[in-house]
């Protein structure tokens, strides 16, 4: 048991080290080599733009059910007008970034791992290197830029749709008075909440793209390996997102104390 | 031009190469023979730094490339083109995109020049006019030839061919053999050809090396190889497994 825990810890630390090296190489490549903007733009369209529908739908349904649940509780105390502000805070601070990241990990992370993994086992990665092109410059950097640009925007989109859906549930459907609802919503939602959503989105983007590219580049064992890479990418990045979210929630609460 | 000294490599504790020594001189063709799985592709990948050896040296134009960081290897890789065993075409790009890739990476921006050189290279492998096909729509033999065209389009001084004729019909194989010879004669390209096709070996080789159990078992002239009475060599040339029905 103890040795099993020890071994798992060691494996996790090794993995973290490998991710750290990849991330370090990626950041230094962003400065040392010319950035391939065309590829980055292509990735923004492929990964960011095409994820909008799934992210918007996720945000909307989350906002809708969340507003309904808050209403069921708060209505008993006559605090109907607080539904909007509570939903908005929860969306910006927790649900929006986390759920968006989990959806994007499933959609984009898996695709990155499968694509790079296929290139690895079919020697396309070696072919790139044989022409003097670094796979970091050509594959990892454009995907990283695309994710870092797209994720905060996708998070914002999820939150916006969530807030809209919670409004539609609360005001027209459940009959909460509109004026106090909107007043509370704008009064209690601060710039700091939006900052938290953006920062979390950015950090989760780094996690998703690093884990997925790493899984892709480390793929071996032919088709079976390519089959495993996306699964591992999704599982590992999802767990990392949830863990990092907890850390960020506490860390960001120090920087942006709640309610200020 | 390329010299390999005491190259050793193992994967997961299993030795694949044991102190391999090979030399190919400027403008000459070395054919490396050996059974499947004996480490021929592994040797080639070491020559352009795609794999790092456990020990030994790889000298390109006198410079040891082992331990060079990835970015410094670019200069070496511009000199040496490699045809991968699986062709390794970029399947997100058309044939034209694949062939233009090394040219664009060399900094050529003139689209007319790129078009001309792509067409020329395709012509050499008898695939004129196939620019717009995608790799997934090509047969195995066509992929191999596109791979070859992509390798030579950048006009490297040295070409590493990993089984250039495996999986091709005899006629196409023959034309590839002539192409390898022609590149060497006309452009002075230094070549290393990895194969188990004896026709290719006899047609192209200035020298032959036979890899056997991770070591260089024979290194010399084609005539010497043909005249040898060593059972490892004669079995290989004549394709005898030693089994009977
Ligand atoms: N990247 C790798 N990881 C692990 N084993 C490898 C790797 N590349 C090659 N090998 C092993 O090395 C041996 C030689 O492979 P290779 O050079 O491809 O043979 P061939 O002579 O047919 O080209 C094989 O047993 C292969 O399994
Ligand atoms: Mg091979």
């Amino acid at each position: 048991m103890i040795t099993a825990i020890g071994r798992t810890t060691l494996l996790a630390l090794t993995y973290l080290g490998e991710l750290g090296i990849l991330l370090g190489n990626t950041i230094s490549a962003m400065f040392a080599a010319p950035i391939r903007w065309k590829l980055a733009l292509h990735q923004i369209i492929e990964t960011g733009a095409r994820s909008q529908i799934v992210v918007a739908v996720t945000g909307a349904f989350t906002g809708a059910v969340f507003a309904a649940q808050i209403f069921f509780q708060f209505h008993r105390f006559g605090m109907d007008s607080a539904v909007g502000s509570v939903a908005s805070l929860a969306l910006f601070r927790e649900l929006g970034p986390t759920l968006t990241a989990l959806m994007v990990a499933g959609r984009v992370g898996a695709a990155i791992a499968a694509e790079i993994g296929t290139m690895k086992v079919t020697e396309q990665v070696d072919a790139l290197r044989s022409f003097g092109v670094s796979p970091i410059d050509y594959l990892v950097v454009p995907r990283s830029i695309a994710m870092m640009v797209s994720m905060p925007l996708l998070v914002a989109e999820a939150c916006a749709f969530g807030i809209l859906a919670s409004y539609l549930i609360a005001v027209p459907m459940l009959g909460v008075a509109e004026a106090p609802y909107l007043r509370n919503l704008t009064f209690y939602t601060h710039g700091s909440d939006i900052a938290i959503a953006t920062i979390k989105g950015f950090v989760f983007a780094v996690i998703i793209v690093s884990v997925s590219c790493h899984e892709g580049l480390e793929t071996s064992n032919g088709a079976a390996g390519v089959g495993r890479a996306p699964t591992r990418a999704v599982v590992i990045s999802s767990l990392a997102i949830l863990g990092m979210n907890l850390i960020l929630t506490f860390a960001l609460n120090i920087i942006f104390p709640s309610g200020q | 031009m390329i010299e390999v000294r005491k190259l050793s490599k193992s994967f997961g504790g299993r030795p694949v190469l044991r102190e391999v020594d090979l030399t190919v001189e400027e403008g000459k063709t070395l054919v490396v023979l050996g059974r499947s799985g004996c480490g021929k592709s592994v040797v080639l990948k070491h020559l352009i730094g795609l794999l790092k050896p456990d020990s030994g040296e790889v000298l390109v134009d006198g410079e040891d490339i082992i331990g060079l960081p990835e970015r410094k290897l670019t200069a070496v890789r511009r000199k040496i083109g490699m045809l991968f065993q699986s062709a390794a075409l970029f399947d997100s790009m058309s044939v034209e995109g694949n062939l233009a890739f090394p040219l664009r990476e060399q900094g050529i921006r003139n689209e007319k020049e790129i078009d001309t050189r792509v067409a020329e290279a395709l012509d050499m492998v008898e695939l004129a006019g196939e620019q717009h096909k995608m790799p997934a729509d090509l047969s195995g033999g066509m992929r191999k030839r596109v791979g070859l065209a992509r390798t030579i389009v950048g006009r490297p001084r040295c070409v590493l061919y990993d089984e250039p004729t495996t999986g091709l019909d005899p006629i196409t194989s023959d034309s590839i053999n002539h192409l390898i010879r022609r590149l060497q004669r006309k452009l002075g390209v230094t070549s290393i050809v990895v194969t188990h096709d004896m026709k290719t070996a006899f047609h192209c080789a200035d020298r032959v090396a036979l890899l056997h159990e991770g070591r260089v078992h024979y290194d010399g002239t084609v005539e010497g190889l043909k005249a040898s009475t060593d059972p490892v060599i004669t079995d290989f040339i004549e394709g005898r497994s030693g089994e009977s029905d």
Side-chain angles (χ1 to χ4, degrees):
Chain A
M1 182 66 193
I2 303 243
T3 55
I5 293 173
R7 203 173 312 125
T8 316
T9 315
L10 203 66
L11 277 178
L13 286 178
T14 314
Y15 194 85
L16 223 62
E18 288 167 2
L19 279 190
I21 292 171
L22 178 63
L23 194 59
N25 287 339
T26 307
I27 293 170
S28 74
M30 283 179 184
F31 294 100
I35 289 176
R36 293 164 188 265
W37 290 110
K38 226 170 156 180
L39 293 177
L41 194 67
H42 176 75
Q43 289 296 328
I44 290 178
I45 293 167
E46 278 294 309
T47 64
R50 298 243 165 101
S51 299
Q52 289 187 91
I53 292 179
V54 68
V55 163
V57 170
T58 307
F61 276 93
T62 308
V65 294
F66 200 66
Q69 291 291 358
I70 302 166
F71 176 83
F72 300 149
Q73 300 295 322
F74 281 24
H75 186 58
R76 294 186 293 172
F77 311 109
M79 288 166 55
D80 292 7
S81 62
V83 169
S85 52
V86 174
S88 147
L89 284 193
L91 280 164
F92 276 121
R93 288 182 164 244
E94 298 296 339
L95 298 172
T98 314
L99 291 177
T100 303
L102 293 176
M103 297 309 283
V104 172
R107 196 188 166 281
V108 178
I112 290 177
E115 190 183 7
I116 298 183
T118 305
M119 293 186 71
K120 176 76 192 306
V121 301
T122 55
E123 296 183 309
Q124 292 176 58
V125 172
D126 276 344
L128 279 179
R129 294 169 67 204
S130 81
F131 294 120
V133 176
S134 148
I136 303 276
D137 298 355
Y138 194 82
L139 299 173
V140 181
V141 169
R143 283 168 177 75
S144 302
I145 290 176
M147 284 290 263
M148 290 171 185
V149 171
S150 304
M151 266 297 280
L153 295 174
L154 289 171
V155 169
E157 201 169 347
C159 293
F161 274 87
I163 288 168
L164 184 67
S166 57
Y167 167 84
L168 291 176
I169 291 290
V171 179
M173 230 183 102
L174 297 170
V176 178
E178 181 168 19
Y181 180 98
L182 290 180
R183 201 177 330 112
N184 274 340
L185 175 64
T186 46
F187 187 76
Y188 287 108
T189 307
H190 301 280
S192 65
D193 301 315
I194 297 169
I196 287 177
T198 312
I199 292 169
K200 282 188 171 180
F202 185 82
V203 173
F204 296 159
V206 174
I207 291 178
I208 295 170
V209 80
S210 309
V211 170
S212 310
C213 288
H214 180 258
E215 287 303 321
L217 289 172
E218 293 300 310
T219 304
S220 57
N221 288 330
V226 176
R228 273 192 297 274
T231 314
R232 282 177 55 91
V234 173
V235 171
I236 295 172
S237 46
S238 299
L239 292 176
I241 285 163
L242 294 173
M244 182 53 97
N245 186 47
L246 183 63
I247 297 172
L248 283 177
T249 292
F250 280 97
L252 292 173
N253 196 53
I254 296 170
I255 307 173
F256 305 108
S258 198
Q260 287 177 33
Chain B
M1 176 184 180
I2 297 182
E3 203 178 337
V4 175
R5 289 191 195 144
K6 293 200 182 311
L7 190 71
S8 296
K9 176 76 178 174
S10 48
F11 289 108
R14 202 174 53 84
V16 173
L17 303 178
R18 308 169 208 231
E19 306 209 332
V20 167
D21 291 298
L22 288 172
T23 311
V24 57
E25 281 153 34
E26 187 86 48
K28 298 285 185 202
T29 301
L30 169 72
V31 169
V32 179
L33 295 169
R35 298 182 58 179
S36 279
C38 75
K40 303 184 298 296
S41 299
V42 172
V43 170
L44 289 191
K45 286 184 181 174
H46 277 93
L47 304 184
I48 51 172
L50 295 178
L51 288 172
K52 297 270 177 252
D54 300 335
S55 61
E57 292 175 357
V58 175
L59 305 175
V60 175
D61 290 332
E63 181 192 18
D64 189 2
I65 66 160
I66 306 302
L68 281 187
E70 195 81 11
R71 285 192 201 284
K72 290 243 173 78
L73 279 169
T74 304
V76 176
R77 289 170 177 164
R78 292 264 159 88
K79 289 190 237 179
I80 307 179
M82 173 150 175
L83 168 62
F84 287 83
Q85 189 169 349
S86 63
L89 301 182
F90 301 123
D91 41 34
S92 60
M93 303 176 196
S94 65
V95 167
E96 184 172 33
N98 268 278
L99 266 68
F101 187 87
L103 299 177
R104 297 216 163 91
E105 289 307 320
Q106 286 177 4
I108 299 173
R109 288 281 169 274
N110 182 339
E111 291 298 320
K112 248 212 184 107
E113 182 183 353
I114 291 177
D115 284 349
T116 322
R117 284 180 63 175
V118 167
E120 265 171 24
L122 282 177
D123 215 23
M124 279 201 248
V125 296
E126 296 170 16
L127 284 174
E130 304 281 7
Q131 273 90 334
H132 300 295
K133 287 230 170 84
M134 294 303 283
D137 302 330
L138 301 176
S139 73
M142 286 166 88
R143 295 172 68 94
K144 199 67 177 249
R145 284 183 284 155
V146 173
L148 180 51
R150 187 181 65 177
T151 307
I152 58 181
V153 73
R155 297 182 185 149
R157 273 174 52 213
C158 172
V159 179
L160 313 177
Y161 303 88
D162 197 345
E163 307 201 6
T165 58
T166 304
L168 300 187
D169 65 79
I171 312 280
T172 312
S173 295
D174 189 57
S175 80
I176 298 290
N177 291 340
H178 283 287
L179 178 63
I180 294 174
R181 245 342 195 190
R182 216 163 44 234
L183 286 174
Q184 185 210 359
R185 292 235 176 88
K186 288 210 182 128
L187 305 173
V189 171
T190 310
S191 317
I192 300 184
V193 186
V194 154
T195 187
H196 37 62
D197 180 343
M198 299 312 298
K199 270 220 177 101
T200 303
F202 294 149
H203 188 103
C204 303
D206 293 310
R207 274 164 70 90
V208 190
L210 177 68
L211 274 186
H212 182 67
E213 295 180 347
R215 290 178 212 280
V216 178
H217 190 84
Y218 173 88
D219 186 356
T221 59
V222 180
E223 288 69 35
L225 187 85
K226 281 181 179 163
S228 169
T229 53
D230 180 336
V232 172
I233 295 175
T234 54
D235 285 356
F236 188 88
I237 294 179
E238 284 157 33
R240 276 196 303 258
S241 69
E243 287 176 30
S244 57
D245 304 326

